[in-house]
Amino acid sequence: MANDLQYVITLPEADEIMSAQSEESVEGYTVENIELEYESIDNIELARKAENLYGSDRDLSFEHAILMKKTEWSRDTTIINEMINVPRRSMKAIVMLFTNKTRTGSKEYANPNIEKVRVTEECVPNAVYSQGIPKTRLYEEARRLFGTDEISHQTLTSFFKDKKFALVIDLRTVNDSNTYGNGAIIQNTQSGILVEITKKATTANLVCYMFVLSDGVIRIANGQQAGVKY
């Protein structure tokens, strides 16, 4: 079954993760010693039991994450519209990370001064909150998705001020990370999901990285991968 799996690794451009010194340019970089590790069972009896589990049809659930798009936001723009028009059986969340166009560090994320977020889902306005997601709810939405008391040990203050900001639009119907398939069903890709963001002006141009998180299923039949759905 492992021979049927394909791994696609997309690496960012050099200037997206490295900052050059004055009057210097970033030429590029190389990545070495990439390895894939698999767990193995040495006990024959346990190996047979595991093999029997995959001898018949079986579904394995997983979380699928994809970088949907990267866009540049002008520092003077106050209204941003972003469209997500991919079909999904269960879209869990939309996550946006922001950096200044000119970065000083690979782990620094900018706060784009968002005031409110409105979500239209397949032509249904205010699909997440009846009046849109206000600025005061942005931290709670992120914490709700990641399921921790604090997001990577980030407090409310550090989330907004210490370059760790992330915009999370949680599309699940149940706040339970162990529940599968409770995300938004996107079938009409012409309408899809429209995210309207109202923000204040910023001091620099921003780059927005938009990720889509979905529930996925790997279908196993006769010990072989029979398909992937998400």
Side-chain angles (χ1 to χ4, degrees):
M1 182 180 67
N3 293 332
D4 296 331
L5 294 176
Q6 294 183 353
Y7 296 86
V8 178
I9 302 176
T10 302
L11 301 176
E13 298 294 334
D15 57 2
E16 296 180 14
I17 60 175
M18 295 185 292
S19 299
Q21 301 296 324
S22 60
E23 299 182 357
E24 295 182 1
S25 61
V26 177
E27 299 296 337
Y29 63 94
T30 59
V31 179
E32 300 177 351
N33 300 323
I34 297 178
E35 297 181 1
L36 296 176
E37 297 183 2
Y38 299 91
E39 294 184 1
S40 60
I41 301 175
D42 297 326
N43 184 283
I44 296 178
E45 182 179 353
L46 293 177
R48 287 174 178 172
K49 289 182 179 180
E51 186 178 7
N52 290 335
L53 291 176
Y54 298 97
S56 57
D57 293 354
R58 185 177 179 87
D59 291 336
L60 301 177
S61 60
F62 69 98
E63 182 177 87
H64 179 268
I66 184 173
L67 174 60
M68 185 60 58
K69 64 173 71 173
K70 182 180 75 171
T71 56
E72 183 176 331
W73 293 7
S74 171
R75 63 182 182 180
D76 298 323
T77 303
T78 56
I79 296 179
I80 302 290
N81 290 310
E82 295 286 2
M83 173 67 72
I84 299 92
N85 56 355
V86 292
R88 288 292 186 268
R89 298 190 308 166
S90 176
M91 188 179 293
K92 296 177 61 175
I94 300 167
V95 179
M96 298 184 189
L97 300 177
F98 306 91
T99 64
N100 290 323
K101 185 177 180 181
T102 302
R103 302 184 67 177
T104 58
S106 60
K107 295 183 179 180
E108 293 184 357
Y109 296 98
N111 184 341
N113 290 333
I114 294 174
E115 293 294 308
K116 182 174 288 189
V117 180
R118 290 184 172 88
V119 180
T120 299
E121 181 182 317
E122 294 194 331
C123 299
V124 178
N126 297 323
V128 177
Y129 277 81
S130 59
Q131 300 297 323
I133 308 173
K135 178 180 180 180
T136 54
R137 285 290 309 177
L138 298 182
Y139 176 76
E140 294 299 329
E141 286 297 292
R143 187 168 65 172
R144 180 175 183 263
L145 175 67
F146 294 116
T148 58
D149 292 335
E150 293 183 358
I151 308 168
S152 300
H153 306 291
Q154 295 300 312
T155 64
L156 177 64
T157 301
S158 62
F159 176 76
F160 284 105
K161 291 186 177 181
D162 292 349
K163 302 180 180 180
K164 299 296 182 183
F165 181 86
L167 173 60
V168 174
I169 302 173
D170 194 338
L171 301 174
R172 298 172 300 166
T173 57
V174 179
N175 184 18
D176 183 1
S177 59
N178 296 320
T179 301
Y180 172 83
N182 64 339
I185 301 174
I186 307 301
Q187 297 176 331
N188 185 356
T189 56
Q190 290 185 342
S191 300
I193 294 179
L194 174 64
V195 180
E196 180 185 308
I197 299 172
T198 303
K199 58 181 286 294
K200 294 181 178 179
T202 55
T203 57
N205 293 341
L206 300 174
V207 177
C208 170
Y209 300 85
M210 180 187 298
F211 297 84
V212 172
L213 277 57
S214 308
D215 290 314
V217 174
I218 298 177
R219 183 70 173 172
I220 306 297
N222 299 319
Q224 298 292 322
Q225 178 185 330
V228 180
K229 296 181 179 180
Y230 43 79

